[in-house]
Amino acid sequence: MSETWHDIDIPALRILRYPDPRLRKECAPITSIDGDLRRLVDRMFELMFDVHGVGLAAPQVGVTVRLFVACPTGESDDRRVYINPRITSLDGSQEGEEGCLSFPGIYSKIKRADLAVIEAHDIDGRAFEETGQGLTARIFQHECEHLDGRLLVDRMGTVSKLANRRALKELEEKFASTPR
Ligand SMILES: [Zn+2]
């Protein structure tokens, strides 16, 4: 992990909103699992559960490393951690409403593979493989795209962009007027 990562004030992390440029960064692989990474993961779960999310990627809190957390069941003890994840297989298709914690209030119909196989490491550094179907497969695909700086808005079709035009513009205006 880069030096800058260890200087981050973890309790101060918040969920970044579109169009924050940090959401567009290509994330770096994680090279070691330590106390800071565990604290980051805990903070990400806290932020995700606060808003009843089912997935959150590290770049969404401004830490550009290849990590996401997920809770497809919505149960607070269902805490799945994916370090350096890689989707190895996609199959079938599903179409459904998809949202993103960095796009509050925006939902779009998005076509995804219905089955996704992912390889990753858990918080103890163990390699594992998981096959996700339906919502879990959707989360895998959505969160892995975050790690490459790809966002919900890139996936939205023309109709959906038009339908959400006002909400997108409001997010852009809010970001532009927020002091940083
Ligand atoms: Zn997202």
Side-chain angles (χ1 to χ4, degrees):
M1 254 178 280
S2 68
E3 300 301 315
T4 50
W5 139 249
H6 285 278
D7 298 331
I8 288 173
D9 179 5
I10 289 169
L13 293 176
R14 298 287 180 271
I15 296 177
L16 306 180
R17 292 178 168 192
Y18 169 84
D20 194 306
R22 285 171 287 180
L23 293 168
R24 287 298 188 185
K25 292 204 173 139
E26 172 90 26
C27 296
I30 289 171
T31 53
S32 69
I33 295 168
D34 55 18
D36 281 345
L37 190 77
R38 286 169 202 278
R39 279 185 286 278
L40 170 65
V41 163
D42 286 346
R43 180 66 181 143
M44 285 171 64
F45 276 118
E46 193 173 59
L47 289 166
M48 184 181 80
F49 285 127
D50 268 358
V51 288
H52 310 288
V54 291
L56 183 67
Q60 291 183 275
V61 298
V63 183
T64 46
V65 296
R66 304 193 80 82
L67 156 75
F68 74 85
V69 300
C71 173
T73 61
E75 306 284 341
S76 62
D77 58 350
D78 181 20
R79 293 174 174 237
R80 309 187 196 184
V81 179
Y82 302 83
I83 294 168
N84 298 334
R86 199 167 64 89
I87 290 175
T88 55
S89 166
L90 293 169
D91 202 14
S93 84
Q94 58 171 318
E95 194 168 56
E97 291 282 305
E98 193 169 308
C100 176
L101 298 180
S102 296
F103 292 80
I106 293 177
Y107 294 91
S108 174
K109 204 170 254 185
I110 288 174
K111 199 174 168 181
R112 296 279 187 188
D114 188 46
L115 211 71
V117 180
I118 200 166
E119 283 179 6
H121 285 78
D122 68 16
I123 195 64
D124 297 312
R126 285 185 295 253
F128 68 96
E129 185 183 87
E130 186 182 342
T131 301
Q133 200 246 325
L135 175 63
T136 306
R138 182 177 290 280
I139 294 169
F140 288 171
Q141 292 164 81
H142 179 110
E143 302 307 333
C144 283
E145 288 182 358
H146 269 300
L147 306 184
D148 293 323
R150 295 177 62 203
L151 300 174
L152 183 70
V153 67
D154 308 332
R155 282 278 183 179
M156 287 163 69
T158 314
V159 173
S160 185
K161 265 191 197 149
L162 270 175
N164 287 294
R165 190 176 49 185
R166 183 183 291 268
L168 285 167
K169 201 170 167 38
E170 273 172 15
L171 283 174
E172 287 163 6
E173 285 169 359
K174 200 166 178 188
F175 181 78
S177 66
T178 304
R180 278 178 299 274

